[in-house]
Amino acid sequence: MTETSELAGAVAIVTGGSRGIGLGIAQELARAGAGIAVVARDGERAAAAAAELGGDGHAAYPCDIADARACTKTVRAVESGQGPVAILVNNAGITRDNIVLRLKDDDWSRVIDTNLGGAFNMIRAVTRGMMKRRAGSIVNVTSVIGLMGNAGQANYAASKAGLHGLTKSVARELASRNIRCNAVAPGFIRTDMTAGLPESQVEELKGRIPAGRLGEPGDVAGVVRFLAGPGAGYITGQIIAVDGGMTMQ
Ligand code: NAI
C-alpha cells in the first residue's frame, strides 16, 4: 500500500514537537508530506527532532510560547524560512499539580499562560497570514481533564477547558475565511508527562478505560493528521476525545 501525501507542500507548526505527543504529531504530519516547524522551549531537543524527521523540509525554532512577542517572531521566521503556515498544532503544555489550597500563584499563572495563553499567542500570530490566503487549519491539543475536571489539577483543567472555548470561538470567527479550528482531547497517553505515575495508578486507570490500555502518541497523531487535512474540510469547532472510550461525551 502506498502512503498518501495529502499535506504535500504544506507548512505545519507543531508546538512542543520535540518529544511525546508533539513528536508523534510532527512525524505523522511529515509522513503526510508537510514541512514541519518544530517549536519548543528546548532548542537542542527541537533541532534533534527536526533532524530526525529526515529530508530538508523541516526546521526547529526555540521559543517559549508563553511569550507573545517570541511567538510573533517565530511565526515570521517560519514564514520566511519555510513558507506560509497552512497548519498550526498547539500541542505544547505543562502541568503543575496540587490541590487548590496548595496551588501557588506561579503554579496557576504558569500553567494558564503556557497552555491557554501560548495557544492564543500562536493563533493570533498565524491568523493574519491565513486570513489573507483564505486557508488554514488549527488543531489544539487539549485534554479529557478539560472536559471532566480532576482533583489536584484545577489549573491544568481550567487551561484546557479554556482552550475548548478558544477553539470554538476561533472556529466561529474564522470559518468564513476558510480557516478551521478543532481540538483533540487525549485521555492518558504514554509520554514523559505520564511516566511518573505509579504502576498501581496506571492499573487503576486502565480499569476506567474501556479500551483497557493507555494511549500512544500515534493514537493522537492520526486524529490530528485527519483534522489538519482536506478530509476534515467541513469540520470546525469540534472537540474529539482520543481516550479509549473513557469519557464518551
Ligand atoms: P511532554 O511533557 O512530553 O512534552 C511537552 C512539550 O511541550 C515539550 O516539547 C516541551 O518542550 C513543550 N513545551 C512545554 N512548555 C513550553 C513552552 N512554554 N514553550 C514552548 N514549548 C513548551 O508532554 P506530552 O505528554 O507529550 O503532552 C503534549 C500535550 O498533550 C500537552 O498539551 C498535554 O497537556 C496534552 N495531553 C497529554 C496527555 C498525556 O497523557 N500525556 C493527556 C492529555 C493531554
Side-chain angles (χ1 to χ4, degrees):
M1 209 170 79
T2 52
E3 180 85 40
T4 56
S5 37
E6 76 276 14
L7 303 181
V11 172
I13 293 179
V14 181
T15 70
S18 64
R19 63 178 203 224
I21 294 172
L23 179 58
I25 292 169
Q27 289 166 337
E28 189 65 39
L29 298 186
R31 271 197 290 275
I36 311 297
V38 179
V39 172
R41 238 178 344 187
D42 180 342
E44 263 177 46
R45 273 183 99 146
E52 264 177 46
L53 294 174
D56 54 7
H58 315 295
Y61 305 82
C63 169
D64 178 353
I65 55 160
D67 178 343
R69 267 203 275 179
C71 291
T72 308
K73 268 172 109 177
T74 298
V75 169
R76 267 198 218 123
V78 174
E79 301 218 311
S80 61
Q82 292 178 268
V85 176
I87 297 161
L88 167 64
V89 182
N90 283 310
N91 159 82
I94 57 167
T95 52
R96 287 224 191 149
D97 299 350
N98 219 327
I99 57 169
V100 167
L101 271 177
R102 296 218 184 102
L103 271 182
K104 303 214 165 41
D105 291 351
D106 191 55
D107 297 329
W108 175 263
S109 52
R110 192 65 206 164
V111 168
I112 299 289
D113 292 352
T114 302
N115 298 3
L116 181 56
F120 167 71
N121 291 336
M122 291 301 296
I123 289 171
R124 189 174 52 182
V126 299
T127 296
R128 196 181 302 276
M130 285 183 175
M131 282 172 70
K132 268 196 207 145
R133 296 186 291 278
R134 291 192 165 262
S137 177
I138 299 167
V139 182
N140 296 320
V141 178
T142 64
S143 169
V144 292
I145 302 302
L147 298 167
M148 304 158 62
N150 197 22
Q153 290 199 301
N155 51 354
Y156 183 75
S159 73
K160 297 298 190 176
L163 267 177
H164 291 153
L166 179 66
T167 300
K168 292 176 188 178
S169 303
V170 168
R172 285 187 187 277
E173 211 169 296
L174 300 178
S176 64
R177 312 296 177 103
N178 195 33
I179 300 166
R180 298 179 300 103
C181 183
N182 292 287
V184 173
F188 289 91
I189 310 295
R190 284 199 188 276
T191 67
D192 289 355
M193 198 179 254
T194 48
L197 294 174
E199 206 43 47
S200 58
Q201 204 179 330
V202 172
E203 283 310 308
E204 190 265 324
L205 272 172
K206 282 187 195 164
R208 286 165 37 201
I209 302 170
R213 66 171 177 89
L214 266 59
E216 302 296 331
D219 291 320
V220 179
V223 181
V224 173
R225 173 176 175 169
F226 167 67
L227 286 174
Y234 198 50
I235 300 179
T236 196
Q238 296 301 312
I239 297 159
I240 301 189
V242 181
D243 63 355
M246 198 169 65
T247 52
M248 296 197 193
Q249 299 275 329

